[in-house]
């Protein structure tokens, strides 16, 4: 009998992969489902991005394999973007690696730096992929608590007390998903000191920098970061290009080269038209961000009302594509969202999929048109 690999014993199918099958089934049965669960932007990319893609189709060599490191113009555009918005100088030749979405970067980084038995610090609540990829490569997940009482920031003193001898890597994600918490200057400075003291590589996953966030920050801006930090970023949320799969890894050349050794054995380069579109996105003016966030501001106001209709509390100072809301203590999040899906045809994400510290919370996505958000509110009130 053919058996699956042992590495899959501790890896489950991604929650949204399963749940969206259920949602599609309900839709096929005629249910008027409103999806407020997933963070997939429904708005279009900038027009110049689409034009650049189309104009590439007839370019000589456009349909051939491309460089594993991306074309020089794309790396230059990423470098200029990071200098302009984060005040981080990066070499386009050695310190930037374009990715087919930042999610693949989570796997490539893990494969490049982790051995079986190494420990990995993973936020709770946090992006589920950090744990699943850690399990896939045979490393050991060690969850660190993020709580509302501590503004969803890690307690580094408590982490050091537990002992960190086996820890090789730490995932951080600010602005944070799912809570919307933003990092302070002090947090990034403390993280760098913590990483140096304990010989840990820190990776900041930073795709929500520009969504309803007044102060975009990169961990790479802070003194000493290049020695112990990498950063992932993405065009998915910032430019409504989730399906394009354009991400980037930034940091010290030695670390970038290690990841490239993995990546170059996994793909054969990104389609030229996508790279040209990405360049145009990165060269957009500030007007793009103002326009994008004005839409999300209006949607968030309705999402706040939805949270109130569900008797939830929430933080109006949070950032990002979601409203993270706390349910009354007597409600179970998973049971409650299943009830809402069944009786009101609205899909909302339970906080428990992001870790045990998500218990008692729900996450409402802003990636739905305003009229759908208003309809959801009407169904709940």
């Amino acid at each position: 009998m053919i058996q699956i690999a042992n590495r899959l014993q501790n890896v489950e199918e991604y929650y949204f992969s399963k749940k969206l099958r259920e949602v599609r089934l309900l839709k096929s049965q005629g249910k008027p489902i409103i999806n407020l669960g997933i963070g997939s932007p429904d708005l279009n990319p900038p027009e110049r991005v689409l034009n650049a893609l189309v104009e590439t189709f007839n370019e000589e060599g456009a349909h051939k394999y491309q460089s594993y490191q991306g074309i020089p113009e794309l790396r230059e555009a990423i470098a200029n973007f990071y200098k302009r918005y984060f005040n981080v100088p990066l070499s386009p030749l050695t310190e930037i690696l374009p990715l087919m979405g930042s999610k693949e970067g989570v796997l490539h980084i893990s494969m490049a730096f982790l051995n079986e038995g190494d420990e990995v610090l993973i936020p709770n609540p946090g992006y589920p992929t950090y744990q699943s990829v850690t399990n896939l490569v045979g490393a050991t997940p060690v969850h660190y608590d993020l709580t509302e009482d501590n503004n969803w920031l890690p307690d580094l003193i408590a982490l050091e007390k537990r002992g960190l001898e086996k820890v090789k890597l730490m995932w951080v994600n600010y602005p944070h998903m799912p809570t919307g918490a933003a990092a302070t200057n002090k947090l990034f400075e403390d993280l760098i000191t913590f990483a140096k003291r304990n010989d840990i590589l820190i990776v900041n996953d930073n795709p929500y920098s520009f969504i309803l966030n007044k102060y975009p920050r990169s961990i790479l801006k802070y003194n000493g970061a290049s020695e112990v930090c990498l950063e992932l970023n993405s065009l998915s949320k910032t430019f409504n290009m989730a399906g394009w799969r354009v991400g980037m890894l930034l940091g010290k050349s030695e670390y970038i080269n290690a990841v490239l050794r993995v990546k170059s054995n996994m793909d054969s380069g990104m389609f030229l038209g996508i790279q040209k579109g990405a360049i145009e996105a990165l060269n957009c003016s500030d007007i793009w961000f103002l326009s994008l966030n004005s839409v999300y501001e209006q949607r968030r106001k309705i999402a706040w009302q939805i949270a109130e209709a569900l008797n939830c509390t929430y933080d109006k100072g949070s950032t990002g594509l979601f409203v993270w809301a706390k349910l009354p203590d007597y409600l179970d999040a998973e049971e409650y969202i299943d009830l809402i899906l069944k009786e009101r045809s609205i899909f909302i994400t339970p906080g428990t999929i992001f870790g045990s510290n998500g218990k008692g919370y729900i996450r409402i996505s802003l990636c739905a048109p305003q009229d759908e958000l208003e309809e959801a509110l009407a169904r709940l009130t």
Side-chain angles (χ1 to χ4, degrees):
M1 179 180 178
I2 298 174
Q3 297 181 334
I4 63 172
N6 291 337
R7 69 176 62 91
L8 291 183
Q9 299 302 321
N10 295 319
V11 178
E12 296 182 1
E13 183 182 3
Y14 194 45
Y15 171 83
F16 287 113
S17 176
K18 294 185 292 185
K19 199 66 182 180
L20 291 178
R21 274 203 306 272
E22 180 184 343
V23 169
R24 285 193 296 271
L25 178 61
L26 290 170
K27 278 189 172 183
S28 72
Q29 296 171 348
K31 297 284 186 180
I33 304 295
I34 296 175
N35 187 348
L36 304 182
I38 196 164
S40 178
D42 61 303
L43 301 168
N44 286 333
E47 188 70 23
R48 59 194 287 177
V49 172
L50 304 178
N51 292 338
L53 172 66
V54 173
E55 289 167 5
T56 309
F57 290 164
N58 293 321
E59 279 193 29
E60 184 177 354
H63 305 288
K64 294 182 177 180
Y65 290 130
Q66 301 298 320
S67 165
Y68 297 108
Q69 296 170 279
I71 59 175
E73 296 91 335
L74 175 56
R75 285 182 274 118
E76 189 72 41
I78 293 170
N80 292 338
F81 185 85
Y82 255 70
K83 179 62 177 174
R84 178 181 178 188
Y85 288 105
F86 297 115
N87 196 25
V88 174
L90 293 164
S91 166
L93 293 176
T94 62
E95 296 178 322
I96 294 171
L97 181 62
L99 303 170
M100 293 182 182
S102 58
K103 190 174 185 179
E104 80 153 11
V106 178
L107 177 60
H108 292 346
I109 292 167
S110 298
M111 294 183 71
F113 290 99
L114 296 174
N115 294 312
E116 189 171 345
D118 285 341
E119 292 184 345
V120 181
L121 294 174
I122 296 171
N124 175 15
Y127 186 33
T129 295
Y130 303 144
Q131 174 168 323
S132 59
V133 166
T134 299
N135 287 329
L136 277 171
V137 300
T140 303
V142 176
H143 295 96
Y144 62 91
D145 288 328
L146 304 179
T147 64
E148 189 170 0
D149 290 342
N150 198 37
N151 299 314
W152 307 106
L153 303 179
D155 184 339
L156 300 179
I157 295 174
L159 275 176
E160 288 192 300
K161 286 180 179 178
R162 75 165 291 278
L164 300 169
E165 294 79 11
K166 294 183 178 180
V167 173
K168 184 80 171 287
L169 188 88
M170 179 180 187
W171 292 103
V172 297
N173 165 221
Y174 290 99
H176 185 248
M177 195 292 298
T179 69
T184 60
N185 291 323
K186 185 178 186 305
L187 173 65
F188 280 152
E189 290 166 353
D190 288 349
L191 280 167
I192 292 164
T193 302
F194 168 84
K196 289 181 178 179
R197 192 162 56 237
N198 295 285
D199 199 24
I200 294 171
L201 177 64
I202 289 182
V203 186
N204 184 43
D205 192 8
N206 194 15
Y208 296 94
S209 318
F210 296 92
I211 306 300
L212 298 174
N213 181 31
K214 292 181 180 179
Y215 305 107
R217 291 187 175 100
S218 166
I219 198 170
L220 298 176
K221 176 184 175 180
Y222 298 85
N223 289 336
S226 63
E227 299 173 38
V228 289
C229 298
L230 286 169
E231 183 157 284
L232 285 168
N233 214 318
S234 166
L235 305 193
S236 295
K237 276 66 178 183
T238 305
F239 297 104
N240 302 328
M241 295 169 66
W244 290 57
R245 310 311 304 137
V246 182
M248 62 201 78
L249 179 64
L250 314 119
K252 188 176 180 179
S253 60
E254 289 89 338
Y255 299 155
I256 296 294
N257 286 336
V259 176
L260 179 60
R261 287 166 64 184
V262 175
K263 177 180 167 55
S264 61
N265 285 287
M266 297 291 180
D267 66 61
S268 297
M270 188 187 303
F271 176 55
L272 182 62
I274 290 177
Q275 295 190 66
K276 292 291 186 73
I279 292 167
E280 290 300 319
L282 291 162
N283 289 334
C284 279
S285 72
D286 292 351
I287 294 173
W288 166 258
F289 301 108
L290 292 171
S291 175
L292 181 67
N293 281 314
S294 68
V295 173
Y296 284 133
E297 283 172 3
Q298 294 303 313
R299 292 181 178 188
R300 185 170 62 178
K301 290 176 183 176
I302 304 169
W304 285 341
Q305 291 179 281
I306 291 172
E308 290 165 5
L310 296 171
N311 297 312
C312 293
T313 56
Y314 54 90
D315 178 10
K316 285 192 173 183
S318 64
T319 67
L321 274 178
F322 311 100
V323 170
W324 179 250
K326 184 174 176 58
L327 290 164
D329 290 340
Y330 57 85
L331 288 175
D332 177 275
E334 293 198 30
E335 291 179 0
Y336 194 43
I337 68 104
D338 281 341
L339 182 67
I340 293 169
L341 179 59
K342 178 181 178 181
E343 296 191 351
R344 297 290 186 268
S345 294
I346 302 168
F347 172 47
I348 295 172
T349 304
T352 46
I353 76 162
F354 305 107
S356 60
N357 287 344
K359 183 179 181 181
Y361 293 86
I362 57 172
R363 193 192 73 173
I364 303 168
S365 173
L366 305 183
C367 298
Q370 185 168 327
D371 59 345
E372 289 192 7
L373 286 160
E374 290 172 343
E375 170 62 21
L377 178 60
R379 292 183 192 178
L380 293 168
T381 56

